[in-house]
Amino acid sequence: AQIWHVETGKCLHTLKGHTNTVHSALFSPDGKRVITGSVDKDAKIWSVDSGECLHTLSGHSGPLRTATFSPEGKLVLTASTDHTAKVWCATTGELMHTLKGHQDALATAAFMPH
């Protein structure tokens, strides 16, 4: 994945670390972080300023289809073809909950607005 400056068309950072296709890339609400979700089964949280990987979120047994920040930017939600969604702390990268019970692969997931 890459972070681009839309006004200049210049690449600011190439986010290296995933070992397969990235399906999802979204900015945090404050614009300071980006989360990517990949077929490699991991999500990664990146610094927009430095391009550094802040956290790797590992724990799914299937490819990720989406990864997103909560509206306040404190949590991350990942959804996978392994029939689960997971909730993570966006600050520490710690797994908080695994949401089980889906009968099929998840294509997307979202937080409910407050």
Side-chain angles (χ1 to χ4, degrees):
Q2 295 178 308
I3 299 174
W4 296 85
H5 190 287
V6 295
E7 292 175 1
T8 65
K10 294 187 181 193
C11 178
L12 300 176
H13 300 290
T14 298
L15 308 177
K16 296 183 179 181
H18 285 293
T19 59
N20 209 320
T21 304
V22 171
H23 275 283
S24 177
L26 294 169
F27 283 95
S28 61
D30 64 7
K32 294 182 179 180
R33 296 166 292 166
V34 169
I35 185 155
T36 55
S38 173
V39 174
D40 68 10
K41 306 175 191 172
D42 290 340
K44 293 184 180 286
I45 299 174
W46 308 85
S47 165
V48 170
D49 288 338
S50 69
E52 172 189 4
C53 180
L54 303 173
H55 301 289
T56 298
L57 312 179
S58 299
H60 282 286
S61 62
L64 295 188
R65 291 296 179 210
T66 194
T68 189
F69 285 97
S70 62
E72 72 285 347
K74 294 180 181 178
L75 301 174
V76 164
L77 179 63
T78 56
S80 171
T81 61
D82 68 4
H83 303 200
T84 69
K86 293 182 182 286
V87 180
W88 311 80
C89 175
T91 304
T92 65
E94 177 185 354
L95 176 63
M96 299 176 71
H97 304 287
T98 298
L99 310 175
K100 299 177 184 179
H102 299 279
Q103 299 301 310
D104 208 342
L106 301 181
T108 190
F111 284 95
M112 184 173 89
H114 296 279

